[in-house]
Amino acid sequence: MSKVFNFFGRVFGFVMIIGFLVGMLWMFGWLTPLGLSGILGSDEIQDLERPEKEAIEPESETPSDDSVATPWRCSWSPTMNDDWHDDVVCQRGAETARPRLLTDWSYVTQDDMMLAAREYESVLNG
């Protein structure tokens, strides 16, 4: 009986080691040629170039009242929600707007956002 348990113990250990190794190969994407891209491996090539800028239009209509002398001002205001596209807030008196800028960019820096905020600000004040 001891020999049977010893045999099955070795077989189980061998299967566990093989399963672990195959799982690691799959996770890191080394099985992609077999059609198994894995968690960390990807068969898509990412485009790291920045897309061209598109014209920025305000989401909400602004009143064209010439009597309002206070211009819109946009400033950096991170939301801490892991979405850097809405880290700018625009204010005019008590009115506020939080536009989503550069949404087609996969990575945005604070300088990129502030440049887009200045363009959005000029559209709002235009």
Side-chain angles (χ1 to χ4, degrees):
M1 188 96 154
S2 163
K3 290 182 181 180
V4 173
F5 286 124
N6 192 14
F7 172 76
F8 283 114
R10 287 182 186 215
V11 169
F12 180 74
F14 180 73
V15 169
M16 291 300 290
I17 290 172
I18 296 298
F20 175 76
L21 292 175
V22 169
M24 294 303 289
L25 291 174
W26 169 75
M27 186 173 93
F28 288 109
W30 292 3
L31 299 179
T32 301
L34 301 176
L36 303 170
S37 64
I39 296 171
L40 302 178
S42 175
D43 50 358
E44 295 181 16
I45 298 174
Q46 294 181 351
D47 184 16
L48 299 178
E49 294 183 18
R50 296 181 185 256
E52 293 183 24
K53 290 187 180 180
E54 297 178 12
I56 300 172
E57 296 185 25
E59 292 178 6
S60 60
E61 293 185 24
T62 58
S64 60
D65 189 351
D66 293 335
S67 65
V68 178
T70 307
W72 283 93
R73 296 285 176 222
C74 297
S75 61
W76 179 251
S77 176
T79 57
M80 305 302 174
N81 64 355
D82 294 328
D83 182 11
W84 52 76
H85 299 289
D86 64 352
D87 285 348
V88 168
V89 67
C90 299
Q91 296 178 320
R92 179 177 68 181
E95 293 179 83
T96 62
R98 186 170 286 275
R100 289 188 44 80
L101 304 173
L102 306 175
T103 56
D104 55 337
W105 290 29
S106 61
Y107 177 76
V108 180
T109 64
Q110 182 177 352
D111 292 336
D112 295 332
M113 285 297 289
M114 290 313 299
L115 183 62
R118 295 294 165 243
E119 293 174 5
Y120 185 79
E121 185 178 281
S122 67
V123 169
L124 287 174
N125 291 323

